[in-house]
Amino acid sequence: MATTMTSPAREHTRRPAHPARPRRRWSREALVAMLFVAPAALGFAVFTLVPAIRGFYYSFTDYDVFQPESFVGTANYERMIADPVFWNSLVVTLQYVVINIVFQTIFALVLAVLMHRLTQSLVVRGIILGPYLVANVIVALVWFWILDYQIGIGNQFIEWLGLDRLAFFGDPALAIPTIAFINVWRHVGYTALLIFAGLQMIPKEMYEASAIDGAGEWKTFWRITVPLLRPVLAVVLVVSIIGSFQIFDTVAVTTQGGPVNATRVIYYYIYDLAFNRYEFGYASAVSVALFLILAGVSLLQLRLTRANQSDLA
Amino acid sequence: MSVPPTLPIEPAPLAPVNDTDPAPTKPIGTVSSPVRGRPRLRGRIGRVLAWAFLIASLVLTLFPFYWMLRTSFSSNAALAANSGNLLPAEFSLGGWKRVLGLATPEEALADGGSGASLDFWLYLRNSIIVATITTVVQTFFCALAAYAFARLRWPGRDAMLFLFLTALMIPPIFTTLPNFILIRDLGLLNTFLGIMLPSLLMAPFSIFFLRQFFLGIPKELEEAARLDGAGYARTFFQVVAPISSAPIMTLAILTYIGTWNEYFWPLLVGRSEEVRVLTVALGVFRSQTPQGSPDWAGLMAATLISALPIIILFALMGKRVINSIGFSGLK
């Protein structure tokens, strides 16, 4: 960096746009750029690129963290295909993703439209973003307390409504919806703000024209808002789907995979395999599977966003 | 999953993050012509319903925060009997005392705790160390890289940018397992460096975030600096970085919040007491009472106090964070 910080006087005599020495200028620019990128590139190579390759390699070994690994071919993958817990974790994760995404998207869309049409208040936006800023662990603990079977206020409320108490975390049928709900609570404000930003890109004239034509609120929503929002919704949707496949913190703090594997989502299963049972090779194979699933979702994203890009034009 | 892994799809000119909201809010009761101003919801009943829904959502959003507060000031013994009461059950500072390490184990047990107290100040210090260093170093290096990607010409630039972009699609756990081995082999388990290292030098999202802003800076500014004899580095540090301080600040805040809230990696690498961060400590505190009723008052005091720094940060810088959300995901 010292060379580039040299006295201005010397630089001055050389003149930046000097036509006689274009190559020298360019190489200096490249040198500075390389220097600027070097730390990030190093970090990327050491902690992303090489680990990704290593992870792939481990999936073909029997690595157990303690002893050097040996190559086992596709044994881990064969085991995975025959592993009911793996398939169960996929099913459970999918259940979670579907419940989470459906409710989160609908709720966020409604919130965003209401914020757009009713109030531009920064305070309102601040409040709905609030849960997103709090750690997953904290969110999980608070809801764990609110939904406690014995003395949680949630169950008090349910009883007050005249219904039976619910074992939100103890009932296998309820555990995943409960965890999905907790994460909807945390993320809905963030998603709503993303959609809200999309809404602000829709030209006002569209609404004016629709109002002059006498279209009602409902019709305006379906005929104008939703179609013009489609590219934004596609991006938001896929980003949230990829995010929700990686649910971990909430499960780790509340149910830890139970009851009876009902919340053993794929991310938690990988964690469990690697760090509780030290089956690193197998855990790597399962994460390759997760990687492939997410790559598929990402590809879908590219197609969807491209296909819909024209709508806003 | 610190900062949202969303990325700008295309480089697009964008408004500065701290741009003020251009829409003046008009009084709602007046008969406003729909043609002028912002699109507004029409119809009285519809509007009442819409407001009711919005307010209900806000209440549902805020209630758990209130419930943390209420529980933290209750005594555990009284919680069971007054579980439906909206006010603190038998006002008590016991939970806060246990969290702040002011209660003896006997007192904690007597108050329905697990006998465990939280060494809150230690974990707070650890969280501050990890979040601050990570934020400062990472933001600095990302700004440098973003500048090189946005404004400088060098061989391999586009290829490397593409490589960074693809990295956003790799699920973190895929690199987490080998990284854990690497950190262990380096002997950095249970060290601050081990917790920070993987995210210290770069975060793809941050590079893209800043690159977008740098792309929008007028060429003339840099040319003027260069005519005055400044080199590339100087142009960056004395011209580009200062006028981009708003987006850089925004990114730093987002990074700070993300790092503060991180759970998975510190859980793996920083289990031991002296480097344990608050999120991990909360998990430990909760699991210390596997049987029986947890120390709810203490736990809620702990959650509140762990969230407090972020809540304060948000109260001070909220506008910036809120306005950056639309940008971070879409354009």
Side-chain angles (χ1 to χ4, degrees), chain A residues 203-217:
Chain A
K204 253 197 325 238
E205 292 73 30
M206 297 278 190
Y207 287 99
E208 287 163 9
S210 149
I212 289 168
D213 289 351
E217 201 61 50

Side-chain angles (χ1 to χ4, degrees), chain B residues 134-147:
Chain B
T134 305
T135 301
V136 171
V137 179
Q138 191 200 78
T139 309
F140 177 74
F141 286 135
C142 285
L144 287 183
Y147 182 69

Side-chain angles (χ1 to χ4, degrees), chain B residues 40-241:
Chain B
R40 290 225 163 270
L41 209 58
R42 295 181 303 274
R44 187 165 290 175
I45 298 169
R47 201 179 299 150
V48 168
L49 281 177
W51 271 110
F53 182 86
L54 192 60
I55 290 168
S57 308
L58 294 180
V59 170
L60 187 65
T61 305
L62 288 174
F63 179 77
F65 290 101
Y66 171 71
W67 207 239
M68 288 190 231
L69 196 69
R70 177 262 185 195
T71 309
S72 71
F73 284 116
S74 301
S75 94
N76 273 324
L79 273 178
N82 296 293
S83 52
N85 197 333
L86 287 179
L87 292 172
E90 240 177 56
F91 184 87
S92 156
L93 291 174
W96 289 86
K97 280 187 183 158
R98 286 194 291 287
V99 168
L100 297 176
L102 300 173
T104 63
E106 293 76 36
E107 282 174 338
L109 276 175
D111 205 19
S114 62
S117 72
L118 205 64
D119 198 348
F120 172 76
W121 299 111
L122 177 68
Y123 308 139
L124 179 73
R125 186 204 70 173
N126 294 346
S127 277
I128 290 174
I129 290 174
V130 169
T132 308
I133 297 179
T134 305
T135 301
V136 171
V137 179
Q138 191 200 78
T139 309
F140 177 74
F141 286 135
C142 285
L144 287 183
Y147 182 69
F149 280 120
R151 307 299 285 203
L152 304 177
R153 279 172 306 148
W154 42 287
R157 183 183 69 180
D158 295 341
M160 195 181 266
L161 192 69
F162 180 77
L163 206 63
F164 283 9
L165 228 156
T166 10
L168 283 170
M169 294 183 192
I170 301 174
I173 197 152
F174 195 63
T175 49
T176 296
L177 303 187
N179 273 337
F180 175 81
I181 300 295
L182 178 66
I183 293 293
R184 189 203 60 173
D185 290 347
L186 290 172
L188 292 175
L189 286 187
N190 294 317
T191 65
F192 285 127
L193 193 60
I195 298 176
M196 296 185 298
L197 208 49
S199 48
L200 205 55
L201 296 179
M202 82 99 78
F205 170 79
S206 306
I207 291 177
F208 291 116
F209 186 94
L210 289 180
R211 178 176 167 266
Q212 296 300 86
F213 282 96
F214 294 156
L215 283 174
I217 293 171
K219 259 200 181 77
E220 292 73 27
L221 260 169
E222 273 179 301
E223 277 165 7
R226 221 151 294 145
L227 278 173
D228 285 347
Y232 294 101
R234 213 158 126 187
T235 308
F236 173 70
F237 284 109
Q238 294 190 349
V239 178
V240 175

Side-chain angles (χ1 to χ4, degrees), chain A residues 65 125 133 145 156 253, chain B residues 21 71 83 184 232 261 286:
Chain A
V65 185
R125 277 187 273 163
L133 301 169
W145 163 224
Q156 300 298 323
V253 173
Chain B
D21 206 321
T71 309
S83 52
R184 189 203 60 173
Y232 294 101
N261 290 340
R286 127 108 179 91

Side-chain angles (χ1 to χ4, degrees), chain A residues 7-59:
Chain A
S7 70
R10 220 186 80 195
E11 280 271 10
H12 212 250
T13 54
R14 212 191 281 156
R15 275 281 148 98
H18 208 295
R21 293 180 184 166
R23 279 176 70 213
R24 199 184 158 91
R25 258 206 79 210
W26 189 84
S27 73
R28 178 172 199 154
E29 183 172 356
L31 203 77
V32 175
M34 301 284 198
L35 218 66
F36 275 21
V37 172
L42 182 74
F44 180 77
V46 176
F47 294 105
T48 303
L49 198 61
V50 174
I53 297 164
R54 271 180 98 184
F56 194 65
Y57 164 73
Y58 282 140
S59 75

Side-chain angles (χ1 to χ4, degrees), chain A:
Chain A
M1 217 166 293
T3 53
T4 60
M5 299 283 253
T6 44
S7 70
R10 220 186 80 195
E11 280 271 10
H12 212 250
T13 54
R14 212 191 281 156
R15 275 281 148 98
H18 208 295
R21 293 180 184 166
R23 279 176 70 213
R24 199 184 158 91
R25 258 206 79 210
W26 189 84
S27 73
R28 178 172 199 154
E29 183 172 356
L31 203 77
V32 175
M34 301 284 198
L35 218 66
F36 275 21
V37 172
L42 182 74
F44 180 77
V46 176
F47 294 105
T48 303
L49 198 61
V50 174
I53 297 164
R54 271 180 98 184
F56 194 65
Y57 164 73
Y58 282 140
S59 75
F60 293 100
T61 71
D62 62 355
Y63 194 37
D64 68 352
V65 185
F66 303 109
Q67 282 162 7
E69 68 277 7
S70 58
F71 198 75
V72 295
T74 56
N76 286 325
Y77 291 96
E78 283 160 32
R79 177 180 162 193
M80 188 166 78
I81 287 165
D83 179 2
V85 186
F86 166 71
W87 292 107
N88 176 67
S89 78
L90 266 191
V91 171
V92 169
T93 309
L94 268 177
Q95 282 173 346
Y96 167 80
V97 170
V98 170
I99 299 173
N100 185 63
I101 293 301
V102 167
F103 282 92
Q104 180 170 303
T105 311
I106 292 174
F107 201 48
L109 183 62
V110 173
L111 264 180
V113 169
L114 290 186
M115 282 194 296
H116 187 233
R117 311 297 307 268
L118 283 177
T119 171
Q120 301 283 319
S121 161
L122 211 60
V123 176
V124 170
R125 277 187 273 163
I127 292 173
I128 69 150
L129 189 64
Y132 183 73
L133 301 169
V134 177
N136 276 319
V137 178
I138 293 177
V139 171
L141 283 173
V142 174
W143 283 101
F144 197 55
W145 163 224
I146 289 176
L147 299 177
D148 184 76
Y149 184 75
Q150 301 284 349
I151 55 173
I153 183 80
N155 264 317
Q156 300 298 323
F157 183 70
I158 289 171
E159 211 165 52
W160 179 78
L161 289 176
L163 304 167
D164 284 337
R165 282 165 188 263
L166 296 169
F168 286 99
F169 296 99
D171 182 340
L174 276 180
I176 276 291
T178 303
I179 287 170
F181 163 78
I182 292 173
N183 282 284
V184 168
W185 183 81
R186 181 171 187 260
H187 288 276
V188 78
Y190 177 75
T191 313
L193 283 184
L194 283 180
I195 299 174
F196 179 80
L199 285 171
Q200 287 185 316
M201 294 194 296
I202 297 178
K204 253 197 325 238
E205 292 73 30
M206 297 278 190
Y207 287 99
E208 287 163 9
S210 149
I212 289 168
D213 289 351
E217 201 61 50
W218 192 245
K219 209 168 180 179
T220 307
F221 176 76
W222 285 111
R223 293 284 167 79
I224 297 193
T225 309
V226 171
L228 288 178
L229 211 53
R230 218 166 63 203
V232 173
L233 278 177
V235 177
V236 168
L237 211 63
V238 179
V239 166
S240 335
I241 290 173
I242 291 178
S244 59
F245 261 100
Q246 304 178 31
I247 167 87
F248 173 82
D249 300 2
T250 317
V251 172
V253 173
T254 57
T255 59
Q256 285 151 357
V260 226
N261 287 341
T263 60
R264 194 169 300 276
V265 288
I266 188 159
Y267 220 94
Y268 195 82
Y269 187 45
I270 296 171
Y271 162 80
D272 208 22
L273 285 170
F275 296 102
N276 290 333
R277 293 192 247 161
Y278 305 109
E279 300 197 50
F280 225 80
Y282 185 45
S284 298
V286 179
S287 36
V288 169
L290 176 64
F291 179 35
L292 291 179
I293 293 170
L294 294 186
V297 177
S298 299
L299 278 180
L300 208 67
Q301 166 187 27
L302 283 178
R303 300 205 66 165
L304 277 176
T305 46
R306 290 237 172 97
N308 288 325
Q309 212 77 65
S310 56
D311 284 39
L312 253 185

